[in-house]
Structure formats: structure tokens, C-alpha cells
Amino acid sequence: MIDTHSHLFEDEFKDDLDECIKRCKENNINKIILVGFSEETNEKAFELSQKYDIFYPTAALHPSEARESYLEDFNKLLDFINNHKIYAVGECGLDYHWTKENIEYQHKLFRMQCELAIKMNLPVIVHSRDADQDTFDIIKSYKGKLKGVMHCYSGSYELAKEYIKLGFYISLGGPVTFKNAKEPKRIAENIDLSRLLIETDCPYLAPTPFRGQRNESSYVKYVCDMIASIRGVEPSYIEKITEENAIKLFNI
Ligand code: NI
């Protein structure tokens, strides 16, 4: 199994990272995409990947990092990516949940990162919160050139199908295990499995039965098990297919 979206470099894991990784291996999770989102975390992700084989690092600037100095910030990111082996540009995107004040910079930064991903032939890991239409419009404008994944996808099944038409993958995380999560369950039931990825987004969004607690990469198995039970198939089947999808998208 592959956790395609993890932030195991966060302080929440500073006391027991080795045990977290051990629990991954015990549960047959052998690859983890370690996702940076700021100058500091891009470096942390890369450093940890030098220490542990299990990690594949990415780098990007999250929409919450979008500010007036976005050009300068982007140039620093560019310099980092040119000097460090990474597996995706992400996570980047649009987030209107906390603020729309920096919307102009969010759009510019997201577009620049999409164009960078195209230029480097890397997938993009997209974060979209309360910004469904604008995120879709930007991605659609790169149709046929940009590849990537909608991380911890929270939109409708109909929109998911539109992303798949653009060649994107849909990644489901902890919310698919929540009792009230109708739409993620509908997506799990109906999505074209060749376009599905699984993730934790740890330390956030822990799946049931750990909801509200610290999440960790080994919990991706609960996401896998839930999708398997919704579709009435063996977990090993979902495990195999999502693993193949991740290997293909991230070239790992
Ligand atoms: Ni994340």
C-alpha cells in the first residue's frame, strides 16, 4: 500500500517517527509520498527522505503561503526544485476557507506551479478547499499538458468525473470512513478504479476509529478497507490497484 499524502515531518511525530515507520512496514505500507507545502517543510520533507527509504518527497507552496512577495517565493521554490530530486509539485492550489484576501496571489502562485510541473514533467498535488470552480477552471486551462491528483478530494462525484476526463487522479483519505460522509462514499463506490489513490494527510483527518486523534501513515489501511467494503471487494484488490496507480503517477 502507498500513502500518497503524508506530512510525517511534522512536530507531532518528532518523538516516535521510527515507530510510525515500523507500523507502516508491519501493515505492508512500503512507500509514502512526503508532501511539502512551504519553504521550511519542503526542506524537511527532502531531508527525511535522505534518511528513510520509504519516503518520496515533494515540494510546493500552499495557497496559505500566497502573498505579495509571491514572485520571490516562487523563485526560491524553483531554485530548490532545480537542486533537489522531488516526485511532484505539491501541495499547491486554492483555499478560500480561511481567507480570500490573497486570492490574486493564490491564483498566480497556483498557475506558476502548474506550469512548472508541466515543464518538469512532474505531477501536481492539488489542494482545493471551498474553491471547486476556480480550481477546476485553472486545471482545465492546462488540459492535455498537466497531470496530477486531487488530494483528499471533497467535491462531488460529478466533478470528480470531470477531473478524470482531464487525466487527473482522485485521492480519498480519512473522511471516506466517516459515518456522515455521503459524497466520498458515493465516489468510492462508483469511481473508475484506475484513477483512484488513497492517502492519510496525516497528522490531520484521522480515519475512523481514530477520528479526532493524531493521524499517521499506517492508518491508510483503514481508508483502503473502507473503500473495499463499500465496493464489496477484497482489501488486497484495492491495495494493489491504488498502488499501481501511485507508482505510475509519481514514477516511483
Ligand atoms: Ni496535506
Side-chain angles (χ1 to χ4, degrees), residues 33 57-60 81 86-90 122-125 250:
I33 308 293
T58 77
I81 290 180
I86 56 153
Y87 292 84
V89 177
L122 287 171
V124 70
I125 298 172
F250 295 107

Side-chain angles (χ1 to χ4, degrees), residues 6 26 78 89 153 169 188 202 224 237:
S6 169
E26 285 164 2
L78 193 59
V89 177
Y153 181 75
Y169 289 78
C202 66
C224 181
Y237 178 67

Side-chain angles (χ1 to χ4, degrees), residues 221-249:
K221 70 177 174 149
Y222 295 97
V223 175
C224 181
D225 288 353
M226 176 55 78
I227 296 169
S229 100
I230 288 169
R231 293 190 79 116
V233 297
E234 287 298 315
S236 59
Y237 178 67
I238 299 297
E239 184 177 328
K240 184 171 172 282
I241 208 155
T242 55
E243 192 172 312
E244 284 169 1
N245 294 342
I247 288 170
K248 197 169 153 197
L249 178 64

Side-chain angles (χ1 to χ4, degrees), residues 5-7 35-37 62 91 125 127 151-152 199-205:
H5 197 108
S6 169
H7 305 293
V35 179
F37 50 80
H62 190 272
E91 58 182 291
I125 298 172
H127 168 103
H151 123 74
C152 206
E199 66 169 80
T200 60
D201 200 16
C202 66
Y204 318 104
L205 292 170

Side-chain angles (χ1 to χ4, degrees), residues 68-227:
E68 211 177 337
S69 62
Y70 71 92
L71 266 179
E72 199 182 307
D73 299 335
F74 177 78
N75 281 330
K76 276 192 201 163
L77 173 70
L78 193 59
D79 189 51
F80 181 84
I81 290 180
N82 281 330
N83 291 294
H84 299 78
K85 166 77 179 158
I86 56 153
Y87 292 84
V89 177
E91 58 182 291
C92 56
L94 302 176
D95 192 325
Y96 300 164
H97 184 74
W98 303 107
T99 181
K100 283 178 95 169
E101 268 170 34
N102 63 350
I103 190 165
E104 185 196 340
Y105 306 128
Q106 286 198 35
H107 280 232
K108 286 188 167 144
L109 207 49
F110 184 32
R111 282 194 171 275
M112 287 161 89
Q113 293 180 94
C114 288
E115 285 158 26
L116 175 63
I118 293 168
K119 207 171 127 204
M120 306 209 53
N121 195 26
L122 287 171
V124 70
I125 298 172
V126 179
H127 168 103
S128 175
R129 189 165 184 198
D130 297 346
D132 276 356
Q133 192 60 48
D134 286 358
T135 306
F136 182 73
D137 289 345
I138 289 179
I139 289 174
K140 197 177 174 192
S141 73
Y142 299 110
K143 187 179 178 182
K145 293 185 276 187
L146 185 64
K147 58 185 174 181
V149 54
M150 299 308 296
H151 123 74
C152 206
Y153 181 75
S154 62
S156 68
Y157 173 54
E158 285 68 29
L159 184 61
K161 284 194 286 187
E162 294 303 313
Y163 276 118
I164 289 172
K165 277 189 207 156
L166 295 178
F168 266 64
Y169 289 78
I170 300 295
S171 181
L172 294 177
V176 76
T177 68
F178 300 167
K179 226 177 181 173
N180 55 353
K182 284 204 184 105
E183 201 59 18
K185 285 188 162 69
R186 188 159 82 97
I187 292 166
E189 189 177 353
N190 296 294
I191 193 174
D192 172 358
L193 286 181
S194 72
R195 289 286 155 181
L196 177 68
L197 298 178
I198 52 175
E199 66 169 80
T200 60
D201 200 16
C202 66
Y204 318 104
L205 292 170
T208 303
F210 301 104
R211 190 171 181 179
Q213 298 172 36
R214 185 190 77 171
N215 196 2
E216 59 178 71
S217 281
S218 64
Y219 296 174
V220 74
K221 70 177 174 149
Y222 295 97
V223 175
C224 181
D225 288 353
M226 176 55 78
I227 296 169

